[in-house]
Amino acid sequence: SYLRHVDSRKLMPNGAGHIPHLKAVILGEALASEEDDLVLPSKEFSDQANVHSPEQYMEMYKRSIEDPDGFWSEIASQFYWKQKWGEKVCDENFDVRDGKIKIEWFKGGITNVCYNCLDRNIEAGLGDKVALYWEGNEPGLDGSLTYSQLLNQVCQVANYLKDIGVKKGDAVIVYLPMINELPITMLACARIGAVHSVVFAGFSAESLAQRITDCKPKAVITCNAVRRGTKPILLKDIVDAAINDSAKDGVSVDVCLVYDNPVALKREDTKWTQGRDIWWQDVIPKYPSTCPVEWVDAEDPLFLLYTSGSTGKPKGVLHTTGGYMVYTATTFKYAFDYKPSDIYWCTADCGWITGHSYVTYGPLLNGATVLVYEGAPNYPDAGRCWDIVDKYKVSIFYTAPTLVRSLMRDGEAYVTRYSRKSLRVLGSVGEPINPSAWRWFYNVVGDSRCPISDTWWQTETGGFMITPLPGAWAQKPGSATFPFFGIQPVIVDEKGVEIDGECSGYLCIKKSWPGAFRTLYGDHERYETTYFKPFAGYYFSGDGCRRDKDGYHWLTGRVDDVINVSGHRIGTAEVESALVSHPQCAEAAVVGVEHEVKGQGIYAFVTLVDSVPYSEDLRKDLILTVRKQIGAFAAPDKIHWAPGLPKTRSGKIMRRILRKIAARQLDELGDTSTLADPNVVKQLIELSDS
Ligand code: WTA
């Protein structure tokens, strides 16, 4: 097992490792290697932590590996089950060589995630505790809902959905901005056993249409418009276009429920389709505020979330009920050292997995108070986050490295003018956090007081996989550290052979965990091919990873054709297919290139159809095409005109060479002799700066 790599004494130098009376010890600056850069939690922090020492972690971790059934069923028993699961806690086939991949946890157990988030917590006395704080884009616009109020609203939406014929197992598409109605809708679906599919409200009409066509929802739930920063975004127009588009593919949407957001757009200015569109505020309040729960099997689907892969078509990642519930709740509790008095804020949008697991389900399952923020993190200025932290006394702040880097650029003054003394734990997700951004986050934002949980995970994994447990061990800036309970990370070489000790290679996971996705919607074969065939016997993450001499994990980025732009996952193939849909584009190849703020930027090599001249207008038009087909967040940062692309004689594009050209590492192009036409490279380099 993974345990053999780790010597618990190394997690904290000198055994326990605490240096009395020092808030935190930062050894960083003087050390030669980042691997030796240790940041220790304060004794005060460790003493109060849910897991307070390496030894305690090792003991719990060991049990989770040696007796996973016992470990997870004990935790699962803390939730409400209408009926307990059957014989097996986990039933899996994780090896393609033994047949179809199957992952089941708590099968036969009957429960409901919404019930466990709300009713159960209310029964335990949390009815009057704030469940959701909502902070609007405009400072001064805000609101809150207690657990009881949240339940009432969820029930009204659930009753409405039932009334329009949404049944257990039916899909509902949700295209909403970060307003309370977004988690409310998710929970309402969960309550009646419907499968929500939230689409990030930055996706274009075409992307939305693709998702509507794939999952054929009973209803689409949206909002007329939203303001982010100073810009109004007309969401309803996008939805209209998407519904028209999917109708052409034979998928019709009968109901479109529209939340009226008068701050962004007047009702009378909203385009309307009679008979299909209906205002949220006109119907929802009329429904009763209690609604019986639809009890479902632990393995019934909870939601679908589309994500990018290495081919053009987005993948519908399917998560089920019981395992996901247990896993998101447990990871939230330990990785953020959650305490009932915490105020928690995650800046992610519910349109991504982080907003599912760590805005909605994980925190609410723990009875936490969650802040939902509608706006842009730098509006009206770069101090907004800390203004919000002080206003609500946020104690756990979870965000992405891209935001940290962009705020870092704006300067410390925006941070230090706020107190931030409520903060106690910081979190990072979405991409590797570079040590200098880590340091700034730690020293400036957290006043060298708050441990940072750099959580590595994926849409597919449902919850944290490799993450620090704050207070339990020394951190190394830039390392996601150690596996969560029950997770056995392995690093394999090209041939799929596990490598031991200090090494780097492909990050895989051995054996299933409760939060794992169960299939790709409608395409189990693609599920197996993408994740379980590359290295038989393991789940393949698509990430590269290095394990250092002390057993710490350092994620090195994607090894497939997926890039990570501002923490948003984008398939290069999706951008390419958008570009080539432009009538003047003959061919396109997209690679990721290092970007100071976004982590990675999108760099597109474009070959035009014969005799079309390069022009600034065409460049803009190509970028616009991508914005329209995918969304603004996927717009290429750079279009590089390419008379031809470097291809092997069999016609395969050599991306390795393109990556080097994009990164201007021209002396590292490597062997170009296998190219069909080696001249292409020279031409590309000459056009580099045009
Ligand atoms: C990357 C987001 C390094 C990784 C939760 C992964 C990270 C992809 C980290 C999944 C991290 C996420 N350190 N890399 N802490 N967190 N990633 O599905 O490449 O949107 O494969 O899930 O983000 O992106 P996804």
Side-chain angles (χ1 to χ4, degrees), residues 353 430-432 454-459 543 555 558 564 569:
I353 190 67
E431 51 172 317
D454 173 6
T455 59
W456 175 79
W457 61 296
Q458 309 177 294
T459 305
D543 278 310
L555 278 301
R558 301 285 307 195
N564 218 312
R569 190 168 148 178

Side-chain angles (χ1 to χ4, degrees), residues 378 381-383 386 400-415 434 436-438 440-441 444-445 566 594-599 637:
N378 53 1
D381 67 30
W386 323 120
T402 182
L403 179 64
V404 175
R405 287 190 297 263
S406 107
L407 296 178
M408 186 171 151
R409 237 176 30 172
D410 291 321
E412 283 183 24
Y414 284 107
V415 188
N434 43 311
S436 62
W438 197 103
W440 187 84
F441 200 21
V444 179
V445 174
S566 299
E594 211 175 293
H595 187 287
E596 203 189 326
V597 173
K598 300 190 208 173
D637 296 276

Side-chain angles (χ1 to χ4, degrees), residues 128-149:
D128 294 332
K129 181 175 177 177
V130 173
L132 300 178
Y133 277 123
W134 177 75
E135 169 79 5
N137 177 61
E138 295 304 320
L141 213 60
D142 54 24
S144 69
L145 289 174
T146 63
Y147 269 85
S148 299
Q149 290 167 333

Side-chain angles (χ1 to χ4, degrees), residues 308-383:
S308 295
S310 42
T311 66
K313 194 173 171 265
K315 305 183 278 197
V317 167
L318 185 104
H319 282 285
T320 57
T321 299
Y324 178 84
M325 170 173 83
V326 170
Y327 198 69
T328 53
T330 313
T331 45
F332 175 82
K333 174 177 164 187
Y334 287 108
F336 293 135
D337 188 45
Y338 172 72
K339 303 285 156 52
S341 55
D342 279 315
I343 308 287
Y344 168 77
W345 179 22
C346 164
T347 63
D349 192 289
C350 285
W352 308 106
I353 190 67
T354 307
H356 284 64
S357 303
Y358 301 108
V359 172
T360 309
Y361 293 115
L364 294 178
L365 284 163
N366 279 283
T369 296
V370 181
L371 174 78
V372 174
Y373 174 50
E374 178 192 38
N378 53 1
Y379 176 80
D381 67 30

